[in-house]
Amino acid sequence: MALLLVIIALTTSALRHIHLNVPLLPNEDRTVWLIEARIDFYAEGEPVTVSLDIPDQPPGYRVISEQAASPGYGYSIIARSGDRRGEWSIRSASGPQTLYYKVQVVADKTPVQEPLELPVEQTSFFWDESEALAAGQLLESANSTSSTPESLTRELIKLLTASEPEQNAALLLSSHSLVDVLDKLLGQAGVPTRLSMGLELKDARRRQPLVPLIEVYSEGDWVLFDPATGNQNLPADLFLWHQGGQSLLDVEGGRDSSVSFSMINQTLPALDLVETPQGSNAFLLLGIHHLPIEEQSMFKILLLMPVAALVVVFMRVLIGVRTSGTFMPILIAIAFLQTALVPGLTSFISIVALGLLIRGYLSRLNLLLVARIATLVVIVVFIMGFFSIAGYHIGLNTGMTITFFPMIIIAWTIERISILWEEEGWYEVLIQGGGSLAVAVIAYAFMKCPIINHLTFNFPELNLVPLALILLLGQYSGYRLSELSRFRAFDKELL
């Protein structure tokens, strides 16, 4: 059972890390790219509509946030037929106009399951007589050394980008761009293609153009090529902005339009980039990031209790430290998280000591147990109020934090210690009271550890690991560490 709990905890945590990008370590930073698209055009004094193709689930990256800066313009995002576009509109504009679109992206290697866009029927390509002859000879040369659409594409790129291109390639490139020639040649060969555009991510670059790319349909998938180099698939530093579909930029009511891109990389905490699961995602059942902040703060403390419980079991079962109850060290450790260690220890010892003096007087009144404990609760409230007010007047803010101590538990602790004093004597009170404080301090040290705080809050399922260890410790029936000295003489006699 313990092994099964550990496997479940580690597997679920790994899936959370992979699918939601939750960092495994605290204070982990990620590089984020801020990309700005600038649209310039000249308005002609009539209604203007500007439509820009914007990224949607680009491969290798994840969009974190996006915004548009367009004074006087209305802006909306329109998704239609697998194409996502930002659209600006205004009733009337004249003169030079500038619009901005900004997007924050972070590298994300998680594969995104996108619907495969099937190739459309290729349109007819028209060459003049000399170009048609050159194109036919280029295709014949490339076909002789290729067997698949990918290999045909690579051979055509070699012919078109050679340092000294042959006469046929030079003729076609003299009146057409490289990507247009490649697109037409592949279409003439019956290979489905679509044109795309990417952006090279380089820090602090301004007015960068998009790099033309071409995608070839082969064996049920689209394969990306860089026409300038012949490199296949997407480079790590290339952000795919535009894929097939409509044009990159459309401007109605204006002329001389252009779009350029600037970029800069930033560093943000990895926790700020955690994806929020949507819909029926299974991690909604285990994650607490979608809860209100107040409830998250409560759970952040509660999720540390299994760690404190493991410390208590370890210290009692293996070390043999005697404590005043099982849960008392846990509650004291949680109180220390609120008050800090030194003020918490001072407040706890002072309240318990003063409570014991009053409990000694109450024992002379021969009250029933319930009435005696209720009286202690009321007295503890007054004691804590006195410490808080006194701390406020002498300028100690820590005096106000003692109210986080569980009053009922303190009252019950005073009662138990009093009974223990009467039955076992002051020595046993020091042993169990000191053991409780020692275990609470050790538990506090673990609960205060930044990596434990991070893992228990962001990976709640990891609390199954302390549960598994507690189950294993519950099966231990050997000697405790504190008992070894008692049996050392006995061991010598046996030897």
Side-chain angles (χ1 to χ4, degrees):
M1 184 184 296
L3 180 60
L4 179 62
L5 290 175
V6 171
I7 292 174
I8 293 174
L10 297 181
T11 303
T12 308
S13 299
L15 292 175
R16 186 188 299 276
H17 171 68
I18 294 172
H19 291 288
L20 302 185
N21 296 301
V22 180
L24 295 176
L25 298 175
N27 304 321
E28 185 177 335
D29 295 329
R30 295 282 298 278
T31 297
V32 176
W33 287 95
L34 177 61
I35 305 173
E36 178 185 82
R38 172 173 172 164
I39 304 171
D40 294 292
F41 65 96
Y42 190 89
E44 300 176 331
E46 56 187 55
V48 175
T49 301
V50 179
S51 178
L52 174 69
D53 187 73
I54 56 179
D56 181 22
Q57 295 183 333
Y61 291 88
R62 174 167 57 91
V63 175
I64 302 170
S65 64
E66 55 186 345
Q67 62 181 7
S70 49
Y73 282 78
Y75 175 76
S76 58
I77 296 177
I78 300 174
R80 185 186 302 116
S81 302
D83 196 26
R84 189 167 177 268
R85 304 183 72 85
E87 186 172 285
W88 293 261
S89 59
I90 193 172
R91 177 62 61 182
S92 178
S94 59
Q97 304 289 309
T98 302
L99 305 177
Y100 293 94
Y101 168 80
K102 297 180 181 180
V103 60
Q104 268 189 325
V105 299
V106 61
D108 186 1
K109 303 306 179 183
T110 304
V112 178
Q113 197 69 27
E114 299 181 18
L116 181 63
E117 180 183 341
L118 298 178
V120 298
E121 184 178 352
Q122 295 290 313
T123 58
S124 300
F125 298 101
F126 297 98
W127 310 93
D128 60 31
E129 184 176 351
S130 59
E131 289 177 343
L133 180 60
Q137 292 179 355
L138 276 176
L139 280 175
E140 183 179 354
S141 175
N143 274 321
S144 64
T145 56
S146 63
S147 58
T148 62
E150 295 99 314
S151 59
L152 175 62
T153 305
R154 287 192 294 267
E155 292 302 318
L156 286 174
I157 292 175
K158 289 178 183 178
L159 294 174
L160 294 172
T161 58
S163 56
E164 295 183 3
E166 60 178 73
Q167 185 177 0
N168 293 323
L171 175 63
L172 296 178
L173 293 173
S174 64
S175 54
H176 303 279
S177 66
L178 172 61
V179 67
D180 285 339
V181 171
L182 184 59
D183 182 45
K184 289 184 177 182
L185 288 174
L186 289 171
Q188 185 173 335
V191 177
T193 60
R194 66 181 183 187
L195 299 180
S196 300
M197 295 183 180
L199 185 65
E200 286 188 76
L201 297 180
K202 296 182 179 180
D203 189 26
R205 292 300 180 94
R206 302 174 61 249
R207 300 296 181 93
Q208 296 295 299
L210 291 177
V211 178
L213 305 167
I214 191 168
E215 293 183 79
V216 176
Y217 189 80
S218 175
E219 297 182 356
D221 199 6
W222 290 99
V223 182
L224 186 71
F225 285 90
D226 184 351
T229 62
N231 292 335
Q232 189 173 328
N233 297 322
L234 191 68
D237 61 345
L238 192 68
F239 179 75
L240 199 58
W241 186 281
H242 174 69
Q243 281 185 285
Q246 304 177 24
S247 59
L248 174 65
L249 176 66
D250 293 324
V251 177
E252 297 179 8
R255 56 183 171 83
D256 301 331
S257 61
S258 63
V259 57
S260 59
F261 299 85
S262 303
M263 68 210 71
I264 188 172
N265 65 17
Q266 305 169 322
T267 301
L268 293 180
L271 275 177
D272 293 347
L273 308 179
V274 174
E275 294 184 67
T276 302
Q278 302 291 336
S280 58
N281 194 300
F283 290 108
L284 277 174
L285 302 175
L286 298 174
I288 59 178
H289 292 89
H290 63 286
L291 295 176
I293 299 298
E294 184 178 356
E295 296 185 20
Q296 289 190 40
S297 300
M298 177 189 67
F299 273 105
K300 191 167 187 178
I301 295 177
L302 291 180
L303 290 172
L304 291 171
M305 291 186 68
V307 177
L310 176 61
V311 172
V312 172
V313 173
F314 178 84
M315 296 298 293
R316 293 195 59 170
V317 173
L318 292 185
I319 306 300
V321 177
R322 285 183 288 174
T323 62
S324 179
T326 303
F327 299 106
M328 177 55 60
I330 300 176
L331 297 175
I332 295 175
I334 292 177
F336 288 165
L337 290 177
Q338 302 290 337
T339 63
L341 184 58
V342 175
L345 276 172
T346 304
S347 302
F348 182 80
I349 295 174
S350 301
I351 293 173
V352 172
L354 191 55
L356 284 175
L357 293 177
I358 298 175
R359 166 61 175 79
Y361 172 75
L362 292 177
S363 63
R364 300 178 184 178
L365 301 180
N366 296 321
L367 298 176
L368 297 175
L369 176 63
V370 176
R372 190 167 62 237
I373 294 178
T375 304
L376 279 176
V377 170
V378 176
I379 292 174
V380 166
V381 171
F382 281 102
I383 294 175
M384 296 176 71
F386 171 77
F387 273 90
S388 297
I389 295 173
Y392 173 76
H393 283 294
I394 64 177
L396 295 177
N397 294 329
T398 54
M400 300 293 294
T401 59
I402 61 173
T403 55
F404 285 99
F405 278 106
M407 294 178 293
I408 306 299
I409 299 300
I410 290 181
W412 183 250
T413 301
I414 294 172
E415 177 67 20
R416 289 194 57 181
I417 292 178
S418 298
I419 295 175
L420 185 64
W421 191 308
E422 294 173 356
E423 295 179 352
E424 303 291 340
W426 63 270
Y427 180 77
E428 190 66 23
V429 170
L430 290 179
I431 293 297
Q432 292 192 19
S436 298
L437 288 178
V439 174
V441 170
I442 297 173
Y444 165 82
F446 278 92
M447 297 164 72
K448 196 68 175 176
C449 179
I451 189 169
I452 292 179
N453 269 271
H454 173 81
L455 292 177
T456 55
F457 181 71
N458 295 287
F459 299 91
E461 58 277 0
L462 285 180
N463 281 307
L464 294 176
V465 176
L467 175 59
L469 295 176
I470 290 173
L471 292 176
L472 292 177
L473 290 174
Q475 299 291 319
Y476 181 75
S477 58
Y479 291 119
R480 298 179 177 89
L481 184 63
S482 59
E483 294 175 335
L484 294 180
S485 60
R486 294 170 52 195
F487 296 97
R488 185 176 302 167
F490 181 71
D491 292 337
K492 291 180 180 178
E493 293 181 5
L494 290 178
L495 294 176

